[in-house]
């Protein structure tokens, strides 16, 4: 799941799964396993009604019916919000009032950190059979829902491991390699990425290297071990020289014409995919569906994806399922959350809406490993994004106001990108606004 409310619905990622032809095998084993939906005699007791609050598109509709069929006394009701903002508004109101939260509350990766500061409002899933999550999920996925002291408040759903998507035709015109294996060799780090961008721009003055400064900022900033906060939740601000250095790299790129200056998710950004406006973009797996939806027949065969991300690994997107302490049936809620996020179900969701699994065992499934994407020149996207997920080794610490602070810096970069503000003035304004956001009491 993407970090902002203005992001596209997850359903567009269904394009990722269009080449799958194999059906997912049925779950087996006993009911103590999270991935199993087989009937348990203990489920034949009192009727259980569970609510789950989600946003955008989680692709769980068929899974609810499957779980209910295996547990006849369980009824699942989804409270669906169209946007992240609507979901957070409901969550905040119910959390503040002390009632009204669903038995399971979905949380997006970019703002679950705000609620880690209120971990006492959510059950510790280790108390409800979570076991050793590090053996089930990627370790950095587990870390994202782990509060100080070790309490785990969320089961991981999908992730957004990043690669580089690129226009083969524009690369050819600029004299750059077009084969994805050769392209992968070009970008071991961000310095090389920007360097090749300047070479491209010299040959292709009418096209930009990437779509926007703000999205490139997100990709680079997410790789810092500490970006806005220290590991002790101290807001760093101007004390973080690495953050300022990252800002300076992106600003220099904008000044050299590397950015297409397109506000992300705007109409102009969407329409630009049907033109030669830019040649590359930081690309999590779910974004392939956005590209193909927006570019249509114009872009088929022109876009490709390379198994590389400058500086190593990166992640953009993903969510968690949490169980609030307000739930009157936390055991049943935790049981359902565990089942929905088990490898078998993550593979089914991947097949249905393209959300990339976060469970390690899913990467051994042929349905994931063998997936290709015809739109992207039959790129082996399953294996590419497995490799990209395994390359994420840094666990960036995000403080309770991380999302609000990042929005401040992203908006500042957009102002610079569009020529509305000088870089130095934008940086100073961002620091002032971010300091104000960081000083606001977490959770308010």
């Amino acid at each position: 799941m993407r970090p902002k409310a203005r992001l596209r619905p997850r359903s567009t990622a269904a394009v990722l799964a269009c080449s799958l032809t194999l059906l997912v095998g049925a779950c087996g084993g006993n009911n103590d396993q999270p991935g199993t939906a087989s009937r348990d005699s203990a489920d034949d007791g009192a009727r259980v009604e569970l609510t789950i609050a989600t946003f955008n598109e989680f692709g769980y509709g068929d899974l609810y019916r499957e779980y209910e069929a295996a547990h006849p006394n369980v009824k699942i009701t989804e409270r669906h919000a169209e946007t992240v903002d609507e979901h957070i508004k409901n969550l905040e109101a119910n959390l503040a009032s002390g009632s009204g939260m669903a038995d399971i509350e979905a949380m997006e990766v970019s703002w679950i950190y705000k609620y880690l500061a209120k971990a006492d409002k959510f059950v510790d899933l280790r108390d409800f059979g979570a076991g050793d999550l590090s053996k089930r999920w990627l370790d950095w996925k587990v870390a994202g829902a782990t509060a100080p002291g070790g309490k785990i408040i969320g089961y991981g759903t999908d992730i957004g491991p990043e690669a580089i998507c690129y226009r083969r035709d524009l690369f050819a015109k600029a004299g750059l390699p077009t084969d994805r294996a050769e392209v992968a060799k070009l970008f071991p780090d961000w310095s090389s990425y920007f360097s090749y961008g300047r070479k491209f721009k010299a040959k292709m003055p009418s096209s930009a290297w990437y779509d926007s400064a703000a999205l490139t900022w997100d990709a680079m900033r997410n790789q810092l071990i500490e970006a806005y906060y220290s590991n002790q939740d101290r807001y760093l601000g101007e004390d973080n020289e690495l953050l300022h250095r990252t800002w300076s790299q992106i600003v220099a790129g904008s000044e050299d014409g590397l950015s297409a200056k397109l506000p992300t998710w705007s109409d102009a950004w969407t329409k630009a995919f049907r033109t030669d406006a830019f040649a590359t973009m930081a690309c999590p797996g779910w974004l392939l569906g956005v590209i193909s939806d927006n570019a249509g027949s114009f872009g088929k065969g022109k876009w490709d994806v390379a198994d590389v991300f400058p500086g190593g690994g990166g992640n953009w997107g993903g969510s968690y399922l949490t169980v609030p302490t307000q739930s009157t049936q936390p055991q049943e809620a935790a049981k359902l959350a565990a089942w929905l996020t088990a490898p078998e179900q993550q593979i089914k969701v991947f097949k249905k809406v393209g959300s990339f699994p976060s469970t390690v065992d899913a990467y051994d499934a042929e349905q994931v490993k063998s997936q290709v994407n015809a739109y992207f020149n039959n790129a082996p996207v399953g294996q590419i994004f497995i490799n990209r997920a395994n390359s994420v080794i840094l666990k960036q610490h995000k403080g309770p106001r991380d999302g609000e602070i990042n929005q401040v810096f992203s908006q500042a970069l957009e102002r610079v990108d569009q020529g509305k503000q000088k870089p130095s003035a934008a940086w100073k304004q961002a620091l002032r606004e971010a300091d104000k956001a960081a000083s606001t009491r977490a959770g308010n």
Side-chain angles (χ1 to χ4, degrees):
M1 188 64 60
R2 276 68 50 210
K4 295 180 183 178
R6 57 182 177 175
L7 307 189
R8 56 90 192 154
R10 287 167 59 142
S11 58
T12 59
V15 178
L16 287 173
C18 64
S19 61
L20 288 174
T21 57
L22 298 176
L23 294 176
V24 177
C27 301
N30 61 63
N31 206 53
D32 292 333
Q33 300 300 316
T36 304
S38 57
R39 182 180 299 188
D40 187 328
S41 59
D43 293 331
D44 294 329
R47 183 169 178 80
V48 175
E49 295 187 2
L50 296 173
T51 54
I52 176 170
T54 66
F55 48 91
N56 291 357
E57 178 56 75
F58 273 71
Y60 283 169
D62 294 339
L63 296 183
Y64 297 150
R65 306 293 81 80
E66 182 180 344
Y67 193 85
E68 289 173 335
H71 304 81
N73 64 315
V74 175
K75 172 64 178 175
I76 303 168
T77 300
E78 184 178 59
R79 300 178 188 172
H80 179 254
E82 293 295 330
T83 67
V84 174
D85 277 353
E86 179 186 344
H87 178 78
I88 294 177
K89 182 179 179 180
N90 294 335
L91 191 157
E92 287 281 329
N94 295 330
L95 190 64
S97 68
S99 65
M101 297 183 78
D103 294 295
I104 299 173
E105 291 276 350
M107 288 195 182
E108 209 271 338
V109 64
S110 65
W111 48 271
I112 189 174
Y113 302 95
K114 178 178 181 179
Y115 297 98
L116 287 175
K118 291 192 170 186
D120 61 315
K121 302 297 183 182
F122 300 89
V123 305
D124 188 343
L125 293 171
R126 296 176 302 175
D127 297 336
F128 293 90
D132 185 359
L133 298 186
S134 65
K135 295 180 180 179
R136 206 184 312 169
W137 280 271
L138 293 162
D139 57 356
W140 54 268
K141 184 67 174 179
V142 178
T146 303
K151 183 176 184 177
I152 297 173
I153 69 168
Y155 283 128
T157 61
D158 59 319
I159 54 175
E162 296 201 77
I164 291 292
C165 288
Y166 66 100
R167 283 278 299 272
R168 293 171 62 98
D169 56 328
L170 297 183
F171 270 44
K173 291 178 181 178
L176 297 177
T178 60
D179 178 76
R180 66 178 69 97
E182 293 301 312
V183 171
K185 298 176 183 178
L186 301 181
F187 311 131
D189 51 35
W190 286 105
S191 293
S192 60
Y193 178 75
F194 283 104
S195 177
Y196 274 104
R198 290 179 172 89
K199 293 176 182 178
F200 172 86
K201 188 65 180 178
K203 296 287 186 67
M204 302 287 290
S206 62
S207 297
W209 184 232
Y210 47 81
D211 55 331
S212 78
L215 283 191
T216 308
W217 166 261
D218 279 340
M220 297 176 71
R221 184 262 314 168
N222 268 329
Q223 289 181 320
L224 302 177
I225 295 177
E226 294 177 332
Y228 302 128
Y229 287 88
S230 73
N231 288 330
Q232 291 74 42
D233 272 346
R234 179 177 68 86
Y235 172 62
L236 297 174
E238 61 184 337
D239 294 336
N240 191 344
E241 180 56 35
L242 284 177
L243 191 71
H244 192 203
R245 194 180 306 168
T246 300
W247 166 281
S248 298
Q249 275 187 290
I250 295 174
V251 166
S254 293
E255 292 174 335
D256 290 341
L258 302 189
S259 172
K261 305 178 181 180
L262 296 164
T264 315
W265 316 113
S266 66
D267 289 341
W269 182 81
T270 299
K271 293 175 182 177
F273 285 93
R274 296 179 185 267
T275 71
D276 295 339
F278 57 92
T280 71
M281 62 190 310
C283 197
W286 55 264
L287 195 62
L288 272 63
V290 177
I291 292 173
S292 57
D293 281 357
N294 290 336
S297 58
F298 172 84
K300 187 173 184 179
K302 296 177 180 177
W303 280 98
D304 210 321
V305 55
D307 187 1
V308 67
F309 198 63
N315 182 76
W316 177 20
S319 297
Y320 295 88
L321 298 183
T322 68
V323 177
T325 55
Q326 288 184 21
S327 174
T328 59
Q329 41 210 357
Q331 183 71 56
E332 291 290 343
K335 182 179 177 181
L336 173 59
W339 184 82
L340 287 171
T341 56
E344 296 88 344
Q345 279 60 258
Q346 289 204 1
I347 293 169
K348 294 171 189 175
V349 172
F350 174 62
K351 178 183 175 183
K352 182 177 180 180
V353 301
S355 300
F356 202 77
S358 62
T359 50
V360 177
D361 287 350
Y363 301 156
D364 292 327
E366 193 62 27
Q367 296 97 324
V368 179
K369 292 192 299 183
S370 65
Q371 186 192 6
V372 299
N373 191 301
Y375 190 92
F376 286 77
N377 286 285
N378 294 315
V381 293
Q383 191 60 56
I384 285 175
F385 287 107
I386 288 173
N387 295 343
R388 293 295 90 219
N390 287 326
S391 72
V392 180
I393 58 175
L394 295 179
K395 303 181 184 71
Q396 182 185 92
H397 179 75
K398 295 180 184 289
R401 288 291 181 181
D402 206 271
E404 294 96 326
I405 293 170
N406 189 59
Q407 188 171 10
V408 166
F409 282 93
S410 296
Q411 290 172 346
L413 278 170
E414 285 187 357
R415 293 194 299 273
V416 172
D417 219 15
Q418 296 164 28
K420 296 180 179 179
Q421 194 172 25
K422 295 292 185 181
S424 59
W427 174 254
K428 291 177 182 178
Q429 180 180 335
L431 287 175
R432 290 194 303 272
E433 293 177 357
D435 185 67
K436 182 178 179 180
S439 63
T440 304
R441 202 173 158 189
N444 292 333

